[in-house]
């Protein structure tokens, strides 16, 4: 799950890098047609997935992994049925599981660093768009429109996927009841594919007219 979740985070950074270069360094935009650069982006994305897959044996050294997962599922079902607020402890056999906490910490570092990188590219691109003087007003308007569309499109998975699961994974560390957030995360994530398409249709005139 963590390995596959890292892919859209990484694609988000690549999207904003492209938009940043489009307005700030148009001379570099041709790299996205360069096979070596494309291969580098693919390797970087696949490498991130490989890091997570390399972590899996480290997590699964305990022979009771499956039983542990089943016990957590039972706790969750019981919590939903009784509508009681429960926390999911980071424990195995009543012992604090440092491996699990380290993995959650690594996921936080990867997610936050990628979001921060994408946000940095976004801020730099927006700042440059507002200060450009060598392009026509129409070209500047188009760049702003494309930038806003990208930001809104990026906000949809952030709000509907990343934030709910970041909360779900981290709140138990502080012993805070998380029944509501846990129960909401899956249905909210199910909204993502539809709203991802709706946002693009509403933002781009050609799609609106087609609709």
């Amino acid at each position: 799950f963590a390995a596959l979740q890292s892919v859209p985070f990484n694609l988000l950074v690549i999207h904003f890098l492209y938009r940043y270069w489009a307005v700030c360094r148009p001379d570099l935009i041709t790299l996205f047609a360069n096979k070596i650069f494309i291969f580098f982006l693919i390797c970087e994305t696949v490498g991130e997935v490989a890091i997570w897959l390399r972590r899996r044996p480290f997590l699964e050294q305990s022979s009771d992994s499956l039983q542990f997962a089943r016990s957590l599922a039972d706790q969750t079902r019981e919590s939903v049925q009784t509508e009681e607020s429960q926390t999911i402890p980071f424990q195995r056999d009543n012992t604090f599981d440092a491996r699990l906490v380290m993995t959650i910490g690594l996921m936080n570092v990867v997610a936050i660093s990628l979001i921060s990188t994408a946000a940095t590219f976004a801020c730099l691109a927006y700042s440059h768009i507002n200060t450009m003087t060598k392009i026509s007003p129409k070209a500047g308007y188009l760049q702003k429109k494309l930038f806003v569309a990208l930001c809104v499109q990026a906000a949809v998975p952030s709000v509907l996927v990343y934030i709910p699961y970041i909360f779900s994974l981290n709140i138990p560390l502080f012993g805070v009841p998380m029944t509501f957030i846990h129960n909401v995360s899956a249905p909210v994530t199910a909204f993502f594919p539809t709203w991802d398409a709706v946002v693009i249709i509403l933002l781009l005139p050609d799609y609106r007219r087609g609709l």
Side-chain angles (χ1 to χ4, degrees), residues 55-66 92 99:
R55 292 278 302 172
R56 201 177 83 174
F58 179 69
L59 265 178
E60 293 180 347
Q61 287 178 5
S62 174
S63 61
D64 64 340
S65 297
L66 183 58
R92 294 188 191 191
R99 289 193 183 99

Side-chain angles (χ1 to χ4, degrees), residues 155-176:
V156 173
S158 297
V159 172
L160 298 181
V161 180
Y162 306 145
I163 292 176
Y165 276 99
I166 286 174
F167 273 102
S168 293
L169 291 169
N170 287 280
I171 284 180
L173 282 171
F174 305 98
V176 178

Side-chain angles (χ1 to χ4, degrees), residues 6-203:
S6 69
V7 174
F9 275 110
N10 205 62
L11 294 178
L12 189 66
V13 174
I14 295 173
H15 287 168
F16 277 103
L17 174 64
Y18 181 90
R19 183 52 40 205
Y20 170 65
W21 279 357
V23 297
C24 301
R25 295 293 305 274
D27 56 307
L28 295 177
I29 207 72
T30 55
L31 284 175
F32 279 93
N34 184 293
K35 292 182 179 180
I36 296 177
F37 185 69
I38 293 172
F39 180 73
F40 166 76
L41 293 178
I42 293 172
C43 288
E44 197 270 336
T45 304
V46 172
E48 210 169 303
V49 173
I51 290 174
W52 283 109
L53 297 180
R54 290 276 297 175
R55 292 278 302 172
R56 201 177 83 174
F58 179 69
L59 265 178
E60 293 180 347
Q61 287 178 5
S62 174
S63 61
D64 64 340
S65 297
L66 183 58
Q67 184 60 39
F68 174 67
R70 285 173 176 163
S71 69
L72 289 187
D74 291 339
Q75 286 183 36
T76 303
R77 281 195 295 271
E78 180 183 347
S79 173
V80 172
Q81 291 168 0
T82 61
E83 296 185 356
E84 294 176 356
S85 294
Q86 297 182 8
T87 59
I88 295 179
F90 285 77
Q91 296 181 355
R92 294 188 191 191
D93 298 328
N94 295 319
T95 303
F96 186 75
D97 192 344
R99 289 193 183 99
L100 188 56
V101 174
M102 287 172 60
T103 300
I104 298 299
L106 178 60
M107 187 173 185
N108 288 334
V109 169
V110 171
I112 293 172
S113 62
L114 289 175
I115 288 177
S116 300
T117 303
T120 300
F121 286 138
C123 291
L124 290 173
Y126 182 75
S127 175
H128 192 77
I129 289 172
N130 284 334
T131 57
M132 284 190 302
T133 57
K134 296 183 179 180
I135 65 170
S136 66
K138 185 175 181 180
Y141 172 77
L142 177 61
Q143 289 291 353
K144 282 186 178 180
K145 197 166 185 179
L146 290 171
F147 178 76
V148 169
L150 178 58
C151 288
V152 174
Q153 189 180 16
V156 173
S158 297
V159 172
L160 298 181
V161 180
Y162 306 145
I163 292 176
Y165 276 99
I166 286 174
F167 273 102
S168 293
L169 291 169
N170 287 280
I171 284 180
L173 282 171
F174 305 98
V176 178
M178 56 160 285
T179 305
F180 173 76
I181 293 177
H182 180 273
N183 295 344
V184 164
S185 294
V188 166
T189 302
F191 296 156
F192 164 59
T194 300
W195 279 102
D196 192 44
V198 168
V199 164
I200 297 301
I201 290 172
L202 294 178
L203 286 175

